[in-house]
Amino acid sequence: MAKRKGPSLQGIFKQYFHDHPEWLRTRSNDEIIAQFSKDHPKIEADNRVKQAMFNAKNHMKKGGKGKRGRKRKVEMINAAIKAPKLGHGALQILENHVDDCLAMARTVGAESIREVIGHLHRARNMLVLKIEA
């Protein structure tokens, strides 16, 4: 497979939106397609090009949040799990026991009792949320 000699279609449109952020807020894409046709006369502005433009516009509007937002949420949950509050109530003791059971289940074998591990994990997370509330 030959290497691409220039930027991808989506890369071209991302650069357009970076240079002209006002184009992200417009409903009509005629100006963007006109600029593309002017800059790249050999490439026909067909559905493939328009789809690349729509994808780039959508990506630039979101700001590329996608997975990073989920990672932050997971980090917050893990931090809450690792640093429980000082209260030693019944829920805290129960959470510690479930955590011990989860650790033991993981050492036994993940494949053979995968569903059990999943239930223990969800139970521990629910307890953490109850303790934090």
Side-chain angles (χ1 to χ4, degrees), residues 11-73:
I12 292 168
F13 286 113
K14 281 183 182 180
Q15 186 62 44
Y16 286 164
F17 294 127
H18 184 268
D19 295 341
H20 304 279
E22 69 275 6
W23 285 354
L24 289 172
R25 294 181 294 278
T26 61
R27 287 176 85 67
S28 174
N29 296 314
D30 297 336
E31 190 176 353
I32 304 164
I33 296 295
Q35 181 67 38
F36 177 81
S37 297
K38 184 176 132 187
D39 292 345
H40 304 278
K42 294 181 181 178
I43 302 174
E44 182 183 341
D46 56 359
N47 283 341
R48 179 179 62 97
V49 171
K50 289 179 183 176
Q51 188 63 49
M53 182 209 40
F54 289 129
N55 289 343
K57 189 173 185 178
N58 193 27
H59 185 266
M60 295 295 283
K61 277 185 178 180
K62 285 183 180 178
K65 291 179 188 171
K67 292 183 181 178
R68 280 185 265 158
R70 276 182 264 148
K71 286 181 182 178
R72 285 190 198 115
K73 190 173 183 180

Side-chain angles (χ1 to χ4, degrees), residues 82-101:
K82 289 179 182 176
K85 290 191 175 182
L86 297 176
H88 292 284
L91 290 178
Q92 182 67 43
I93 294 169
L94 182 60
E95 189 261 332
N96 288 337
H97 286 300
V98 171
D99 195 35
D100 292 340
C101 289

Side-chain angles (χ1 to χ4, degrees), residues 68-128:
R68 280 185 265 158
R70 276 182 264 148
K71 286 181 182 178
R72 285 190 198 115
K73 190 173 183 180
V74 168
E75 287 172 2
M76 286 174 40
I77 291 172
N78 285 337
I81 291 170
K82 289 179 182 176
K85 290 191 175 182
L86 297 176
H88 292 284
L91 290 178
Q92 182 67 43
I93 294 169
L94 182 60
E95 189 261 332
N96 288 337
H97 286 300
V98 171
D99 195 35
D100 292 340
C101 289
L102 180 62
M104 189 183 308
R106 284 183 175 153
T107 59
V108 168
E111 287 302 315
S112 61
I113 56 172
R114 183 179 338 140
E115 289 180 14
V116 173
I117 292 172
H119 287 295
L120 286 169
H121 187 73
R122 281 189 292 279
R124 186 190 62 187
N125 287 347
M126 289 174 66
L127 284 168
V128 167

